[in-house]
Amino acid sequence: MKLIAYNDKFKEQIETYQVKNLVFTGLPQNAIKISQENINYHPVLLVNELNEICTFFILDYGDDKFKYTNNINSLLLRSFSTNERFLRKGYALTALSSLPRYVQTNYPNIQEITLGVNKRNVAAQKLYEKAGFKKESRTYIGKKGPQLIFSKAIL
């Protein structure tokens, strides 16, 4: 298992990537389109030994992160999902656990990863906590309701 930056070699897989529940996240296909126009959007894939995409997310350098943190040396984790074919097999936790090393290697100036989780998305909150993210005392009101703010320091 490894985290890699998205490239067009994975275009066909992204087109067939399925998300079971779109209430709290978006489709990778849409995030890829945004990344082609927004230099701050960096799509990342967790791929298995067969080069199959198991998990997808965006690391966002842009100003949206300031809704969640004041740290200029941070990245916003967004559009996190697991391909429906690979649900409940530990891939999401693997991706999140591998993230600090990936960020240190590819974004050496980054000190923190921050994210928002819908208050109603209890499963995601537990996942982020299990991966070492800390729930902040602040919240953010997003398009789909209150977002709990989580962060993880990059050492």
Side-chain angles (χ1 to χ4, degrees), residues 9-17 51-53 83:
K9 176 175 109 175
F10 292 97
K11 186 176 182 179
E12 189 175 310
Q13 282 192 62
I14 284 293
E15 290 171 0
T16 61
Y17 187 107
N51 256 1
E52 298 170 309
I53 303 171
N83 192 334

Side-chain angles (χ1 to χ4, degrees), residues 2 18 22 39 43 61-62 70 83 91 100 112 120 143 154:
K2 62 183 174 182
Q18 295 194 4
L22 291 171
I39 61 169
Y61 255 126
N70 293 326
N83 192 334
Y91 294 115
E112 174 190 42
R120 296 175 293 148
K143 294 176 186 172
I154 302 297

Side-chain angles (χ1 to χ4, degrees), residues 61-109:
Y61 255 126
D63 289 344
D64 280 355
K65 68 185 173 191
F66 295 119
K67 297 173 184 171
Y68 303 91
T69 183
N70 293 326
N71 187 344
I72 193 165
N73 293 318
S74 65
L75 285 170
L76 176 62
L77 176 68
R78 60 190 328 162
S79 298
F80 190 88
S81 68
T82 298
N83 192 334
E84 189 173 316
R85 293 177 39 218
F86 299 102
L87 282 174
R88 299 189 194 357
K89 295 181 181 174
Y91 294 115
L93 184 58
T94 298
L96 293 170
S97 299
S98 303
L99 189 54
R101 186 177 312 128
Y102 179 85
V103 169
Q104 285 176 323
T105 301
N106 294 285
Y107 307 94
N109 64 316

